[in-house]
Amino acid sequence: MKKIDILKKLRSSGLRPTKQRVEIAKFLFEREKTFHFTVESLNKLLTKKSASKIALATIYNTVHAFKTAGHLSEVEVRGNKTYFDTNVSNHHHFYDSDTSELIDIDANDVIIQKIPKAPNGKKIKNVEVFINLKN
Amino acid sequence: MKKIDILKKLRSSGLRPTKQRVEIAKFLFEREKTFHFTVESLNKLLTKKSASKIALATIYNTVHAFKTAGHLSEVEVRGNKTYFDTNVSNHHHFYDSDTSELIDIDANDVIIQKIPKAPNGKKIKNVEVFINLKN
DNA sequence: ACCCTAGTTTATAATTATTCTAAAGTGAAA
DNA sequence: TTTCACTTTAGAATAATTATAAACTAGGGT
Ligand SMILES: [Mn+2]
Ligand SMILES: [Mn+2]
Ligand SMILES: [Zn+2]
Ligand SMILES: [Zn+2]
């Protein structure tokens, strides 16, 4: 994704393209493959890569703003930190608890033959599959 | 599960059956259906139900001891708190994010027809399915 | 171009969940 | 009974996240 698209992406979701947001967005979205991260890891990587340091609170604010805008999704993994995902399409994950690493699985690579019907009065929003790995 | 079995369960896993552990174990394991809880919710319920109050640190200690002994499992759900589960068999969950409620799904009620092979050098430990609910 | 202001960033405090510490208490082996 | 390793406990410490409120800024209106 190019910088012009980054600006479009921000503006179209009502987010003023500030220096900090553009820098974070470029870091997150100008890449080929899905990126999974925690706020802590993102902060470290940004600090390493970039000259100007962005306040931690801003990283929290920005990541949440991007999530609310639908540009990031949140992935549930065991542990105390919240994981985010640049892949916002419906998909599944391998999870390697040794390395705390997530790997995407395309929705088409998992076929579920049978699931129970939702409880009374509830509907199924989506189905998430986690394949936990070991060595 | 009866009290005598509770004592057996504790002793057989090298846990001295103290007053606090027995009380928590009875609360958790003397029931028909699976119980999903957080330390906070367990603490509230124990305080309400019981006369003697157990220190929060003891509840943390005990829950972890039970988990290590294989009497509880940990369930990953979105959010900041850790969820525990008295069902330690391989099974799946409905998750109602409105109520933060987990509902068991028997392993046999989910049939997965196709999953990708594990990444290089890794093996599949287990597969967990989460069915997220809406109203 | 300059103002103006709502939106944003920032340092820091506050909150929440959990773990650590170390002193006091206790189950059970001998 | 005595003894002591194990356990409980209150409170401090840590870790992740959110709240606060003052300073800053993007960008529409003039
Ligand atoms: Mn979690
Ligand atoms: Mn989490
Ligand atoms: Zn992903
Ligand atoms: Zn369960």
Side-chain angles (χ1 to χ4, degrees), chain B residues 4-22:
Chain B
I4 182 71
D5 298 316
I6 295 274
L7 296 185
K8 236 177 255 166
K9 173 178 276 216
L10 293 180
R11 274 196 245 271
S12 70
S13 38
L15 296 168
R16 232 192 256 176
T18 63
K19 191 155 44 105
Q20 292 86 346
R21 282 175 179 164
V22 170

Side-chain angles (χ1 to χ4, degrees), chain A residues 74-80 82 94 96-99 103 105 108-119 121-135, chain B residues 74-80 82 94 96-99 103 105 108-119 121-135:
Chain A
E74 199 180 322
V75 185
E76 192 47 35
V77 291
R78 229 161 286 270
N80 24 341
T82 304
F94 284 115
D96 185 341
S97 56
D98 290 330
T99 62
I103 301 171
I105 300 171
N108 297 339
D109 290 341
V110 173
I111 298 176
I112 297 170
Q113 193 171 57
K114 178 192 175 192
I115 54 170
K117 61 180 186 307
K122 300 283 177 180
K123 296 169 82 172
I124 291 175
K125 191 198 303 176
N126 74 317
V127 177
E128 273 182 277
V129 175
F130 285 90
I131 303 182
N132 294 109
L133 298 175
K134 60 181 173 187
N135 287 17
Chain B
E74 199 179 322
V75 186
E76 192 45 34
V77 291
R78 229 160 286 270
N80 24 340
T82 303
F94 284 116
D96 186 341
S97 56
D98 290 330
T99 61
I103 301 171
I105 301 172
N108 297 338
D109 290 342
V110 173
I111 299 177
I112 297 170
Q113 192 171 57
K114 177 190 175 193
I115 54 170
K117 60 179 187 307
K122 300 282 177 180
K123 296 169 83 171
I124 291 175
K125 191 197 303 177
N126 74 316
V127 177
E128 274 182 276
V129 175
F130 286 90
I131 302 181
N132 294 110
L133 298 175
K134 60 182 173 188
N135 287 16

Side-chain angles (χ1 to χ4, degrees), chain B residues 34 36 85 91 93 104:
Chain B
T34 294
H36 299 104
D85 191 339
H91 68 289
H93 291 100
D104 274 2

Side-chain angles (χ1 to χ4, degrees), chain A residues 34-36 73 75 84-89 91-94 102-105:
Chain A
T34 295
F35 183 50
H36 299 104
S73 62
V75 185
F84 295 92
D85 192 339
T86 58
N87 184 346
V88 294
S89 75
H91 68 288
H92 307 289
H93 290 99
F94 284 115
L102 285 164
I103 301 171
D104 274 1
I105 300 171

